[in-house]
């Protein structure tokens, strides 16, 4: 964020310096219109990052997740398609080369993360793996315990934390 805001600040200062103070910006100044158009890129990136939102809803049917703005529709993973479901700690950098919607190869599968180091690991019956990041691992463990008590998921599907 700091680097992004510094880049935005430099462009804004260049526009202010040229339009208000009438002092050319840089050793090879461009027009204020060019500076303004160049400002669109870092502002757009900041807007995209700021608008990212990962939502997860867990109920008796399965797990619904949506990673906006990349997945507008989202996806539902039904309990009958899940072989194993458990909480685990992960290293976003080592396993997925960062946060976001990432693929960590066959070993780790897909990850939907926005920060942190805890996630709900899903191993699907078709062999695929999906990690859903969470900032509330205790609450998620309680939900899994309740679903197991209701018989929605089996003890065979879950690995105790």
């Amino acid at each position: 964020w700091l680097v992004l805001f510094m880049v935005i600040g430099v462009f804004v200062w260049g526009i202010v310096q040229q339009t208000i103070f009438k002092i050319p910006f840089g050793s090879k100044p461009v027009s204020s219109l060019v500076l303004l158009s160049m400002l669109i890129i870092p502002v757009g990136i900041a807007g995209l990052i700021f608008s990212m939102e990962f939502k997860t809803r867990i109920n008796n049917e399965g797990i619904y997740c949506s990673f906006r703005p990349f997945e507008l529709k989202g996806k539902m993973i039904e309990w009958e398609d899940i072989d194993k479901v458990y909480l685990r700690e992960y290293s976003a950098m080592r396993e997925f080369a960062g946060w976001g919607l990432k693929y960590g190869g066959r070993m780790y599968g897909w990850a939907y993360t926005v920060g942190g180091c805890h996630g709900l690991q899903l191993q699907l019956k078709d062999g695929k793996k999906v990690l859903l990041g969470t900032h509330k691992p205790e609450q998620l463990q309680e939900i899994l315990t309740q679903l197991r008590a209701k018989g929605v998921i089996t003890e065979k599907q879950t690995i105790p934390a």
Side-chain angles (χ1 to χ4, degrees):
W1 282 111
L2 182 62
V3 171
L4 195 55
F5 284 131
M6 286 173 60
V7 169
I8 291 171
V10 167
F11 282 115
V12 168
W13 174 248
I15 293 167
V16 167
Q17 182 175 318
Q18 285 193 172
T19 56
I20 296 175
F21 300 123
K22 306 291 184 207
I23 301 169
F25 181 71
S27 60
K28 294 182 180 178
V30 296
S31 72
S32 296
L33 186 59
V34 171
L35 281 176
L36 186 61
S37 63
M38 291 171 61
L39 178 64
I40 291 171
I41 294 170
V43 168
I45 291 170
L48 180 67
I49 292 171
F50 191 70
S51 71
M52 286 192 321
E53 180 179 44
F54 178 60
K55 286 190 173 189
T56 307
R57 190 172 59 241
I58 301 174
N59 59 29
N60 292 345
E61 287 80 44
I63 301 171
Y64 171 82
C65 59
S66 172
F67 196 43
R68 293 182 183 248
F70 307 108
E71 286 186 329
L72 297 177
K73 185 179 171 190
K75 66 168 47 173
M76 177 69 152
I77 303 171
E78 296 179 4
W79 290 117
E80 61 193 36
D81 297 329
I82 298 173
D83 187 39
K84 298 270 186 230
V85 56
Y86 56 93
L87 281 170
R88 76 172 182 95
E89 285 190 34
Y90 67 93
S91 170
M93 293 306 290
R94 189 178 72 246
E95 296 175 31
F96 303 102
W99 291 270
L101 176 55
K102 299 282 191 151
Y103 184 65
R106 250 189 273 166
M107 184 170 180
Y108 297 113
W110 283 96
Y112 295 77
T113 61
V114 290
C117 61
H118 293 93
L120 184 66
Q121 181 68 60
L122 308 177
Q123 293 179 357
L124 306 181
K125 290 182 179 173
D126 65 5
K128 294 178 183 173
K129 295 179 181 179
V130 179
L131 178 76
L132 307 174
T134 183
H135 291 289
K136 301 175 182 179
E138 297 84 13
Q139 184 179 358
L140 199 49
Q141 184 61 53
E142 181 60 32
I143 291 169
L144 291 177
T145 302
Q146 291 171 5
L147 289 169
R148 194 169 46 200
K150 289 181 184 177
V152 174
I153 56 176
T154 66
E155 195 163 327
K156 182 183 169 214
Q157 282 178 297
T158 59
I159 298 172

